[in-house]
Every structure is written in C-alpha cells, then in structure tokens.
Amino acid sequence: MHARLSRILEIMAQKKRAAVAELAETLKVSEVTMRKDLSQLEAKGLLKREHGYALLTESDDIGNRLSIHYDIKRRIAQEAANSVSDGETVMIESGSTCALLAETLLTERKDITIITNSVFIATFVREKPNAHVILLGGEFQVDSQVMVGPLVRKCAEEFYVGKLFVGTDGFSDAGVMSGDLMRAEAVRGMAKSAKQVIVLTESEKFSKLGVVALLPYHEIHAIYTDNNIPADRKDSLQQKGIRIYTGD
C-alpha cells in the first residue's frame, strides 16, 4: 500500500467521516485520483463511501480497526514476516495486524500456505497471485468476520504447523487477553496445532486488560510489537522466556 493510502487511513482514523473534496485538497491530488484511492481502500474493506464522503464505521468491524494505527501495524507485520520462510505453512488467527501479516507474506514470500479462521483475511488477500488460503469452518461472527466455536477447533486438529500468529486485546499478570469469549476459545483450539504461538500487538495494548483469558505466558514463544513497549513490561516478559521484537 503506497504512502498516500496510508495517509488517508490516518486522517480517517481521526475524523471518522470526511468529504472526498476535503481529502483531495488535504493530500493535494485531484478528486478523480482521490475517488480511485478510496475505491481501493473500500475494496479492501478499510472504509466505506457514500454520497461524496468516506467514512469509518463505529463498531468491532475489522476494517475499522485495521485503519487505526495502520502504519504501526504494518511495521509490526513486516517484522513478523521475517520469521517465515518460503514454502512455509502458517496459521493466522483473525485480527487487523494479522491481516497485514498475511498480505505481506503473500507479497514477499513464495509458496506460502495460510490456514486461518478469518473470512476477512481470506478476502483481504484474495487478489494476491498464487494465494493459497485454507479457511477453517465454524460459526460466523459478522463484525469481526471470523469463524468461532467448536468447529474451528475440530478443523484445526487436522493440521500441525510451526507457527500460529494471533492478536490480543490486552495483557494480565497471567497471560494475554481477549475481548471475546468465542474468539478466545477458537485461538486456544488453534494453538494446540502449532509448535510456536506468536503474538502481534501495538504497544498500547500492554496498558489494557481485556475480559477473557486468551493464552498463558508459558504458551507464548514471541511477541512482535513497536518500540513504545514499556521497559518494565518488556523485562518482565523476557524473564518469562518470551522473545520480544520491536523492529529496532
């Protein structure tokens, strides 16, 4: 995604709703060019257009979440992609940074297979040449566009991969947290089918709690985040044997 599209997402994350003419003037491009840019972003599910305006939805919609801190998430995804080799099969749970990881892998690696419970991710990367995506079945959550429930676990049992990448909504003394019970259950089922569990998260999540236990720290191999992670939190996690990557 080029720099102007990233800038549009930054503006939309702040404004939530903006006129096409206003965006074109701010970024010093024609309205025709701006409409083309917005069409690209709409096709990826990152915003919506209506009557000369672009807007973000105020919900758990993953497209809305992906537009927030987009550049930070993109850098985290880029760093995490360095852990994956050509020809590898990986499991990726739903989440905005995870979607960017999937896109990066299919852009910069060869012969990658992605196993996911995220319909959003499957759709997000559908135009990538030679994209090989296996979608785990389950109950469909509309806003987050993810499959959940016991069928996800049963489908995941058919596979075994080296790495599972997951997002998180927060941290507690016991482990990483989620804001959704059904999604947390799906992650725990998928984790049983992976040698390593790797968490992708912006540093601001370290100050948040979440409401449902996702995974205990002893099941986490590594965390990819940005360099604003609190020093005491970084030290604590490293003492637990978790590798921390910040792209430094």
Side-chain angles (χ1 to χ4, degrees):
M1 185 178 294
H2 62 68
R4 190 170 64 245
L5 297 185
S6 296
R7 178 61 180 143
I8 292 170
L9 290 176
E10 290 176 4
I11 294 171
M12 293 304 302
Q14 296 174 352
K15 290 180 171 291
K16 309 301 181 187
R17 185 173 188 268
V20 173
E22 177 187 0
L23 290 169
E25 182 179 357
T26 299
L27 296 178
K28 303 187 186 311
V29 297
S30 69
E31 291 188 27
V32 172
T33 296
M34 180 53 59
R35 282 193 288 270
K36 290 180 179 178
D37 287 349
L38 294 175
S39 292
Q40 289 187 53
L41 294 172
E42 185 177 40
K44 284 183 170 290
L46 300 178
L47 51 74
K48 296 181 180 179
R49 296 175 58 197
E50 61 176 36
H51 309 301
Y53 285 85
L55 58 94
L56 296 180
T57 56
E58 293 291 341
S59 71
D60 188 43
D61 182 87
I62 188 171
N64 180 50
R65 289 188 281 118
L66 181 50
S67 67
I68 299 171
H69 301 149
Y70 175 84
D71 280 342
I72 293 174
K73 293 174 179 177
R74 180 177 55 80
R75 288 193 293 270
I76 293 170
Q78 186 74 48
E79 183 71 13
N82 291 332
S83 69
V84 179
S85 303
D86 290 347
E88 194 167 346
T89 295
V90 297
M91 200 171 282
I92 304 180
E93 200 269 336
S94 67
S96 52
T97 309
C98 287
L100 293 175
L101 171 65
E103 181 181 51
T104 301
L105 290 176
L106 293 177
T107 301
E108 301 183 2
R109 299 289 182 274
K110 296 178 181 178
D111 301 322
I112 295 295
T113 298
I114 294 173
I115 302 170
T116 184
N117 64 329
S118 172
V119 177
F120 179 86
I121 288 177
T123 304
F124 193 67
V125 302
R126 69 188 183 279
E127 295 180 356
K128 290 296 177 183
N130 303 314
H132 187 200
V133 179
I134 298 171
L135 187 61
L136 301 175
E139 180 182 344
F140 182 54
Q141 281 191 344
V142 177
D143 281 345
S144 55
Q145 298 183 50
V146 63
M147 297 297 190
V148 297
L151 273 178
V152 173
R153 174 179 50 78
K154 294 183 92 49
C155 289
E157 288 175 353
E158 299 297 318
F159 303 94
Y160 189 77
V161 299
K163 301 178 183 74
L164 164 65
F165 295 91
V166 305
T168 182
D169 293 319
F171 292 79
S172 72
D173 292 339
V176 295
M177 305 290 286
S178 174
D180 185 287
L181 176 60
M182 296 288 282
R183 287 177 65 187
E185 288 179 344
V187 171
R188 289 194 288 269
M190 294 167 72
K192 294 178 180 178
S193 296
K195 182 178 180 180
Q196 299 177 357
V197 178
I198 300 171
V199 176
L200 311 183
T201 182
E202 314 103 283
S203 60
E204 70 169 19
K205 296 287 183 63
F206 289 102
S207 62
K208 297 182 178 180
L209 183 59
V211 295
V212 180
L214 186 61
L215 291 168
Y217 287 123
H218 68 82
E219 293 187 20
I220 305 298
H221 174 76
I223 296 175
Y224 285 82
T225 187
D226 57 78
N227 56 18
N228 289 320
I229 177 175
D232 59 342
R233 177 69 77 168
K234 183 177 182 180
D235 290 342
S236 174
L237 291 169
Q238 288 176 327
Q239 289 172 12
K240 291 179 172 64
I242 299 173
R243 299 180 181 181
I244 307 297
Y245 298 89
T246 61
D248 293 339

